[in-house]
Every structure is written in structure tokens, then in C-alpha cells.
Amino acid sequence: MNKTRLKPDVPFIHPECEITDATFGQYVEIGRGSRLAHCDMDDYSYCDRFADIANASIGKFSNIAACVRIGATDHPMEKASLHHFHYRSADYFDDAAHDDAWFDHRRSRRTVIGHDTWLGHGAQVRPEVNIGHGAVVAGGAIVTKDVPPFMIVAGIPAVPLRPRFAPCVADRLMALAWWDWPHDRLRGALDDFRTLSAEEFLERYEGTV
């Protein structure tokens, strides 16, 4: 009997979540009170409490802390009013419809979060930003530009602090792509994930099937 809390066939969704048009991979967890709309979350990724994710594609093994905002929706700054009465119009006027073209525009501005990423508490990632595989976004940062793989960024707006690894190590991890391993292979390598440095892990697993 499978006694694990996380399952391959159904996400673990905590209470009080609002989920609209979202798809989930295997072993996914959604924290209490989170709101997800028009997004995809791939295998093993999770968000902690009160995450707010819209119009985004989340890779595998993404670690999303509490109160993170991804793909925050924007307002039409070039028009006479910022207010949503003119695109959520049916909420205000009996004879008016919502502006579907505006909502389609919002949904088209996808944010992409790579595999094995870490977004710290309260971080924000703007629409149309790409976070590379293995990157780290510090708590409270506001990311307005793309982040390269394995880069650590922080600040408002977020700027690079340092790479996690030397470029040769980062390139080797990208090539190894352990995040695509099947579940049983992850289990078989669990002790090595726990005890080996990245370089040692690469030495052990590069070139293996």
C-alpha cells in the first residue's frame, strides 16, 4: 500500500485554494490559500501557502515559497483609466460584457519557471520573464528580466548576485538533466543527492543510463 503523502496521479491541494484552468504533473503540492490561474505545474513542483500564480509554466522540482507572486496581472496604463470597470464591465453594468480581448492579452504573457528552481518568500516574477533551470530568486525580490540558469538574483529590481556553480559545472548539470529521471531512479540516487556535492554527483552519474 502506498503511504506517501504525495501521489503520482493526483496533486495534494491544501484547503482554501482557488484554482482555475491549471494542470499538474506528478507529486505536486499546492499550499493552503494559494491561487492558481491559467498555469501548468510540472512533476514534483510545489508552492507553499498563499502563493499567487497566473499565466505561467512551472517546470519540474520547482520550490516556490509562501506568498510568492508569479505572472502578476497588469492594468492598461495607456488608457484613460487603470480601473477594471472597463474590462470587468459585466460586474458593474447589466448591459455590458467583459472585455475578452484584454483577458486574452493577459493570458498570452506567459511567465516560465525552469526546473529545480527556488523562489524565496514573497518574491515576485513579472509576466513574460523566464527563470532558468537551477536559478534562485531571493526572498522579497522583484524579477523584471530573464534570469540565466543557476544564477542567484536578489533585490528590487532583482539583479545577479553570483552563479551557484562554475559555468562548467552548470553546463554539466544541464546536460545530465537529472530532473527528467524516472521516479525509481531518483529513489536509487537519493543517498547521493543527500551526501554528494554537485561535482561529486556529476562524477558518479555522468555517462550512466
Side-chain angles (χ1 to χ4, degrees), residues 1 6 12 16-17 30 52 58 100 111 118 120 134 139 143 148 163 196:
M1 180 178 179
L6 301 180
F12 189 102
E16 302 172 8
C17 293
I30 307 300
D52 194 333
I58 312 296
D100 292 336
T111 301
W118 176 19
V143 186
L196 299 182

Side-chain angles (χ1 to χ4, degrees), residues 154-200:
I156 303 175
V159 296
L161 291 183
R162 63 175 177 85
R164 286 179 57 200
F165 304 114
C168 60
V169 174
D171 289 345
R172 290 164 66 194
L173 283 168
M174 292 283 285
L176 183 65
W178 62 260
W179 39 76
D180 291 329
W181 289 0
H183 194 67
D184 57 352
R185 190 176 188 195
L186 292 169
R187 177 63 185 90
L190 182 58
D191 288 344
D192 292 332
F193 273 108
R194 289 176 170 179
T195 60
L196 299 182
S197 69
E199 293 89 339
E200 292 168 335

Side-chain angles (χ1 to χ4, degrees), residues 72-173:
T73 54
D74 46 14
H75 291 255
M77 293 191 294
E78 74 283 1
K79 296 185 179 180
S81 174
L82 296 167
H83 196 271
H84 63 196
F85 83 90
H86 65 84
Y87 52 91
R88 295 187 181 277
S89 307
D91 294 340
Y92 296 86
F93 309 107
D94 289 337
D95 60 347
H98 286 347
D99 185 349
D100 292 336
W102 173 250
F103 290 106
D104 290 342
H105 168 70
R106 275 184 168 178
R107 286 193 286 272
S108 73
R109 301 184 64 209
R110 302 287 290 183
T111 301
V112 179
I113 310 297
H115 305 314
D116 198 42
T117 45
W118 176 19
L119 280 62
H121 178 93
Q124 297 184 47
V125 184
R126 296 291 300 155
E128 297 183 298
V129 168
N130 293 299
I131 306 295
H133 302 329
V136 176
V137 176
I142 299 180
V143 186
T144 60
K145 297 180 180 179
D146 291 355
V147 177
F150 296 98
M151 182 61 68
I152 302 171
V153 299
I156 303 175
V159 296
L161 291 183
R162 63 175 177 85
R164 286 179 57 200
F165 304 114
C168 60
V169 174
D171 289 345
R172 290 164 66 194
L173 283 168

